[in-house]
Amino acid sequence: MLLKTACVCVRAPRLQQRAFSCGVAMAKSKFEYVRNFETDDTCLKNCYIVVRLDGRNFHKFSEQHGFLKPNDKRALGLMARSAESVMDNMEDVCVAYGQSDEFSFVFKRSTNLFKRRASKLMTHVTSQFSSSFVFYWAEYFTEQPLLYPPSFDGRVVLYPSNRNLRDYLSWRQADCHINNLYNTVFWALVQKGGLSTSQAEERLRGTVAGDKNEMLFSEFNINYNSEPQQYRKGTTLIWNMAEEVVTKKVKPANENEKEVHVTRTRRKIAAHHCDIIGEQFWEEHSGVLESD
């Protein structure tokens, strides 16, 4: 009996090795042809790759989590913080722009991250952003627990030139202005004017920007141009070179350990709430985009 037990103990590792070898062989088996069903989604070279995320069912999400109307600074701050997490994780993102429940991430034209596969880039950005949104939630919503996980959908679009890309970003900022102006007037009518949401919608039907600005000023003494830039212009994130002073402990020969201050330069993400449709921003930050 002792001999049989010893024999089993010796053979067990060989059985495990045989099973492992069989598994390796399966990877090169006749079934491997199924990989041919995968589509080639490599993004065209020399194009900016833009991954845009949008919150899914965020109207319901914002209501159930008590977002302030028309703008919630906590929510906008959390969106920007989640976007910074994406940029920290994927340094080939040269600029990101966000407003409301959306954020666009622009990968530089020369990137070869994930071999430029659209599905890899989109899923990585979406998962990193979503998990960061949940992770940092309590820092911004200190008194409101997260009731259920938020979700974001993503899409990938290519832009071949700086002009095309800037027009895309201008489109998103123009959308920010249009939506924010409408929401500012709408919620003023509801919160200060005592109208129901359906009455406010009817009141605004057919109005243009000038009408809305006049309504805000004459009825509620609100100058729309004095509203925070973050609400009117959105958030633009770019990389900047910044100097910082750090303290290090050193121990010179035959001396006691002491602290010294060292200045170093490093890349840091900078947030801007300004116009990106005109030329000034791009002239001041000429290194953001690659030359055509």
Side-chain angles (χ1 to χ4, degrees):
M1 291 295 293
L2 290 173
L3 289 174
K4 290 182 179 179
T5 302
C7 183
V8 170
C9 292
V10 171
R11 290 179 181 175
R14 292 179 183 175
L15 290 173
Q16 292 173 1
Q17 290 177 2
R18 190 177 297 115
F20 178 77
S21 298
C22 183
V24 172
M26 286 291 288
K28 298 293 183 181
S29 72
K30 64 180 182 180
F31 305 111
E32 190 181 6
Y33 79 93
V34 297
R35 294 181 61 184
N36 296 327
F37 286 83
E38 294 183 17
T39 57
D40 181 10
D41 62 348
T42 303
C43 294
L44 190 66
K45 289 185 177 181
N46 300 322
C47 289
Y48 289 105
I49 303 172
V50 175
V51 179
R52 186 167 93 234
L53 304 186
D54 288 283
R56 183 173 179 273
N57 291 333
F58 250 60
H59 179 74
K60 176 183 177 183
F61 182 87
S62 64
E63 284 188 346
Q64 295 188 341
H65 287 86
F67 282 22
L68 303 176
K69 306 294 184 180
N71 291 287
D72 193 313
K73 195 172 183 64
R74 300 168 301 173
L76 294 174
L78 177 57
M79 290 286 291
R81 181 64 186 87
S82 302
E84 289 179 13
S85 177
V86 173
M87 292 181 68
D88 278 330
N89 194 261
M90 308 174 80
E91 293 189 0
D92 277 0
V93 175
C94 58
V95 58
Y97 175 78
Q99 52 111 350
S100 187
D101 64 342
E102 73 167 56
F103 239 100
S104 297
F105 299 89
V106 181
F107 288 84
K108 59 186 182 182
R109 285 190 296 203
S110 58
T111 187
N112 198 39
L113 192 62
F114 297 121
K115 297 181 179 179
R116 297 179 68 89
R117 290 189 59 185
S119 57
K120 290 278 190 178
L121 292 168
M122 183 181 67
T123 53
H124 192 92
V125 169
T126 306
S127 61
Q128 183 71 32
F129 188 93
S130 301
S131 59
S132 298
F133 192 93
V134 173
F135 185 81
Y136 294 112
W137 173 271
E139 291 186 17
Y140 293 85
F141 289 84
T142 55
E143 298 180 0
Q144 170 61 58
L146 186 61
L147 303 178
Y148 59 88
S151 62
F152 298 85
D153 63 67
R155 73 201 70 185
V156 175
V157 187
L158 305 183
Y159 295 100
S161 70
N162 286 348
R163 184 72 269 163
N164 294 150
L165 178 66
R166 284 186 52 185
D167 285 347
Y168 167 78
L169 295 172
S170 297
W171 171 48
R172 300 320 306 147
Q173 187 167 74
D175 185 75
C176 173
H177 163 69
I178 293 169
N179 289 336
N180 188 65
L181 177 58
Y182 181 92
N183 289 333
T184 301
V185 183
F186 177 87
W187 288 106
L189 291 170
V190 173
Q191 296 170 348
K192 299 180 179 181
L195 300 185
S196 65
T197 54
S198 58
Q199 289 173 329
E201 288 178 0
E202 185 60 32
R203 178 81 185 279
L204 290 171
R205 193 183 306 277
T207 59
V208 296
D211 300 327
K212 295 181 179 70
N213 276 291
E214 178 60 28
M215 198 179 299
L216 279 174
F217 189 75
S218 62
E219 297 185 29
F220 305 105
N221 198 29
I222 296 175
N223 183 348
Y224 181 73
N225 291 326
S226 297
E227 291 293 291
Q229 288 271 70
Q230 184 180 17
Y231 302 160
R232 296 185 292 116
K233 302 295 185 181
T235 299
T236 304
L237 303 177
I238 60 173
W239 291 101
N240 274 352
M241 299 304 296
E243 290 188 348
E244 64 178 12
V245 179
V246 296
T247 302
K248 291 186 175 182
K249 292 183 178 181
V250 296
K251 190 178 185 306
N254 302 321
E255 294 184 27
N256 295 327
E257 185 178 75
K258 61 181 181 180
E259 292 185 346
V260 296
H261 299 294
V262 179
T263 301
R264 64 183 184 184
T265 302
R266 59 179 298 186
R267 288 178 87 207
K268 299 190 73 173
I269 299 171
H272 298 266
H273 309 297
C274 62
D275 177 75
I276 59 173
I277 297 176
E279 297 297 327
Q280 183 176 348
F281 176 83
W282 302 105
E283 290 173 354
E284 293 176 353
H285 306 283
S286 57
V288 172
L289 303 182
E290 297 167 281
S291 300
D292 279 332

